[in-house]
Amino acid sequence: QKREISNFDYLMYLNTLAGRSYNDYMQYPVFPWVLADYHSETLNLNNPHTFRDLSKPMGAQTVERKHKFIQRFNEVEKSEGDLSAQCHYCTHYSSAIIVASYLVRMEPFTQTFCSLQGGSFDVADRMFHSVKSTWESASRDNMSDVRELIPEFFYLPEFLTNANHFELGCMQDGTVLGDVQLPPWADGDPHKFILLHRQALESDYVSAHLHRWIDLIFGHKQHGSAAVEAVNTYHPYFYGDKMDLNNIKDPLIKSTILGFISNFGQIPKQV
């Protein structure tokens, strides 16, 4: 409010308070998608339609998608300790594989990604190759994709280029994966993308609406009735601080839960 701290610094501070750290891929700092315009030749930060709706989670960015997730929630009976527990999302907005896939063109993340994938790169069509197509997948097209961003999208142009010349494969349409495809307004320049993306994060629109996203990720809409109302509930196993593993006697169930958490991510501590 007093303009004494940037939105970037504030989000990093909240992530730290909530137990997120660069040292843990499973609890890596989480940042929001702030833009919805990845097709224009120029980026207009004075137009509200340029921005993502920060009051809604990624699963509710379109009306149709939101209703599908509400339908899923209503169809599943409540069941404790079961993989089919009642929730809107069975995948998470931040996990080790999401972090490694974003940063796959840089070491040591390349090796991390390959080890998580069983020793090799993923099928080319599933690799992170385009900012626009990743936004469309996470906000509209893919019901198992509700990913948010990581801090590097706002300061690190190097992760967008394949400077190490890794052979990332070839997509079904014949496109050979190399550098990440950027929106037209970036003019193919990773530095310009980062500059404009950071300006978007620090813009008046985001400054006025960022608290709504913070409510969803770190605040009162994270779980409980407020989360249900906001279409923002995740599988119970993702709420690490709500799971009392010490009371689970069956080692198979315990290892299943731990595997679930390590593969699919964790909700930050509520701050």
Side-chain angles (χ1 to χ4, degrees):
Q1 288 179 335
K2 294 181 179 178
R3 307 271 171 155
E4 292 175 0
I5 186 173
S6 68
N7 290 337
F8 182 91
D9 288 340
Y10 184 49
L11 287 171
M12 283 304 301
Y13 181 67
L14 286 176
N15 270 285
T16 304
L17 281 179
R20 314 294 284 190
S21 165
Y22 283 119
N23 299 323
D24 187 348
Y25 291 149
M26 290 181 285
Q27 296 194 73
Y28 207 76
V30 56
F31 268 58
W33 288 94
V34 293
L35 293 173
D37 182 355
Y38 297 97
H39 54 269
S40 298
E41 294 295 327
T42 56
L43 192 62
N44 182 1
L45 297 181
N46 295 316
N47 182 357
H49 296 295
T50 298
F51 297 93
R52 165 257 180 104
D53 187 341
L54 287 159
S55 69
K56 295 182 174 68
M58 289 304 291
Q61 290 296 307
T62 69
V63 174
E64 181 187 5
R65 184 170 155 100
K66 176 182 175 182
H67 286 317
K68 283 181 180 174
F69 281 119
I70 291 173
Q71 184 180 359
R72 173 193 282 177
F73 181 89
N74 291 333
E75 283 175 354
V76 178
E77 292 293 321
K78 278 192 175 179
S79 51
E80 289 297 320
D82 187 358
L83 289 175
S84 62
Q86 189 175 35
C87 60
H88 293 108
Y89 314 115
C90 295
T91 54
H92 200 250
Y93 50 75
S94 175
S95 66
I97 195 68
I98 289 171
V99 173
S101 69
Y102 281 144
L103 301 173
V104 69
R105 290 163 178 79
M106 296 173 58
E107 290 290 14
F109 305 99
T110 313
Q111 293 303 315
T112 301
F113 182 84
C114 288
S115 66
L116 288 169
Q117 282 293 129
S120 63
F121 291 120
D122 198 359
V123 176
D125 287 81
R126 290 203 298 257
M127 295 280 284
F128 172 54
H129 67 277
S130 158
V131 178
K132 178 174 180 281
S133 66
T134 303
W135 160 254
E136 289 172 349
S137 170
S139 67
R140 187 187 71 200
D141 297 339
N142 187 346
M143 290 290 283
S144 61
D145 183 3
V146 292
R147 78 185 83 175
E148 293 279 7
L149 298 183
I150 53 176
E152 283 82 354
F153 272 85
F154 301 94
Y155 69 80
L156 190 71
E158 286 79 10
F159 87 96
L160 298 164
T161 60
N162 187 19
N164 293 316
H165 305 292
F166 292 119
E167 293 185 9
L168 301 171
C170 185
M171 295 171 67
Q172 287 183 348
D173 63 4
T175 304
V176 177
L177 293 197
D179 297 346
V180 176
Q181 295 171 12
L182 302 175
W185 45 259
D187 297 327
D189 181 351
H191 289 83
K192 185 173 182 180
F193 172 83
I194 295 293
L195 175 69
L196 291 174
H197 205 215
R198 182 64 173 265
Q199 287 177 1
L201 178 66
E202 305 300 340
S203 67
D204 288 341
Y205 179 90
V206 172
S207 296
H209 295 86
L210 187 58
H211 64 285
R212 298 183 182 278
W213 182 83
I214 290 168
D215 286 343
L216 295 169
I217 307 300
F218 301 107
H220 76 287
K221 292 182 181 178
Q222 192 192 74
H223 59 263
S225 58
V228 174
E229 197 174 320
V231 194
N232 192 43
T233 64
Y234 297 82
H235 195 283
Y237 292 170
F238 295 153
Y239 296 87
D241 56 340
K242 302 280 184 291
M243 294 294 302
D244 189 359
L245 291 173
N246 294 325
N247 287 335
I248 298 172
K249 302 298 181 218
D250 189 324
L252 187 60
I253 294 176
K254 199 171 193 173
S255 66
T256 301
I257 293 172
L258 288 170
F260 208 87
I261 293 167
S262 62
N263 281 315
F264 295 106
Q266 278 182 270
I267 302 288
K269 289 195 184 87
Q270 189 178 24
V271 296

